[in-house]
Amino acid sequence: MAGKITFTMIKPSAFESGFTGKILAKIEDGGYRIIAMKKVRLSKELAGHFYEMHTGKPFFEDLTTFMSSGSIVAAILEKENAVEDFRQFIGATDPAKAEDNTIRKLYGKSLSENAIHGSDSDESAERESGFFFSFIERT
Ligand code: GTP
Ligand code: MG
């Protein structure tokens, strides 16, 4: 059965551009309930742990440099079929290929600065939520 939670991060470029409020409003209007949220800045090392599945790929260095370049907003979202629906909601990884009215189409600047993250599976949603939030912060 598909899970009810997914994990998201508003990435440094979108935060710095002042899009956080608009993005969160769109998420809530889309039927997602925010069940945990915080603003933090990742170190490059922690960004590397978060994206460890991409270790060794050509874009890994740029990805971890970018994700540690400024503040992010991390959140756990609740909705039926959360992971799959939210991936559709944010749009394709490359904003230029994202569908109209998706968050990446509206607020993404490039393949690297694509505004927002969304978990790619229920297992990733659990791992990523646990990376940022303890049990007590999720209730
Ligand atoms: P996330 O939600 O951030 O995990 O994006 P994703 O699941 O749509 O893509 P993926 O996990 O495959 O890649 C993680 C991030 O690395 C993406 O959001 C992109 O910013 C970046 N990325 C992925 N593929 C490429 C690539 O081929 N070139 C470059 N420069 N960056 C890439
Ligand atoms: Mg991914």
Side-chain angles (χ1 to χ4, degrees), residues 2-67:
K4 283 190 179 176
I5 68 148
T6 192
F7 173 81
T8 189
M9 286 185 291
I10 296 172
K11 297 188 178 185
S13 51
F15 183 89
E16 190 55 36
S17 298
F19 296 149
T20 300
K22 289 182 184 117
I23 290 173
L24 290 174
K26 186 166 174 63
I27 288 171
E28 287 191 313
D29 289 346
Y32 299 85
R33 199 167 76 89
I34 297 166
I35 60 172
M37 183 163 67
K38 64 171 98 168
K39 171 197 164 290
V40 290
R41 181 167 179 174
L42 292 172
S43 64
K44 191 162 158 131
E45 187 185 3
L46 278 176
H49 284 305
F50 183 87
Y51 279 114
E52 66 186 6
M53 72 294 292
H54 296 311
T55 308
K57 292 186 186 167
F59 58 86
F60 183 75
E61 175 65 23
D62 284 352
L63 175 61
T64 54
T65 298
F66 168 60
M67 289 303 295

Side-chain angles (χ1 to χ4, degrees), residues 6 53 83 87 117-122 124-125 128:
T6 192
M53 72 294 292
V83 165
R87 295 278 288 188
H117 164 79
S119 305
D120 62 10
S121 66
D122 290 343
S124 296
E128 294 166 0

Side-chain angles (χ1 to χ4, degrees), residues 68-133:
S68 57
S69 68
S71 295
I72 60 152
V73 171
I76 305 174
L77 306 176
E78 184 182 64
K79 182 183 175 296
E80 293 296 332
N81 202 37
V83 165
E84 199 182 325
D85 285 3
F86 195 68
R87 295 278 288 188
Q88 292 274 337
F89 193 68
I90 67 177
T93 306
D94 183 351
K97 296 178 184 155
E99 285 186 34
D100 284 350
N101 203 34
T102 59
I103 294 174
R104 282 171 165 167
K105 181 74 166 195
L106 290 169
Y107 301 112
K109 295 177 183 165
S110 65
L111 179 55
S112 302
E113 301 191 0
N114 59 2
I116 194 159
H117 164 79
S119 305
D120 62 10
S121 66
D122 290 343
E123 294 69 33
S124 296
E126 273 303 322
R127 183 185 82 83
E128 294 166 0
S129 297
F131 189 94
F132 280 92
F133 298 99

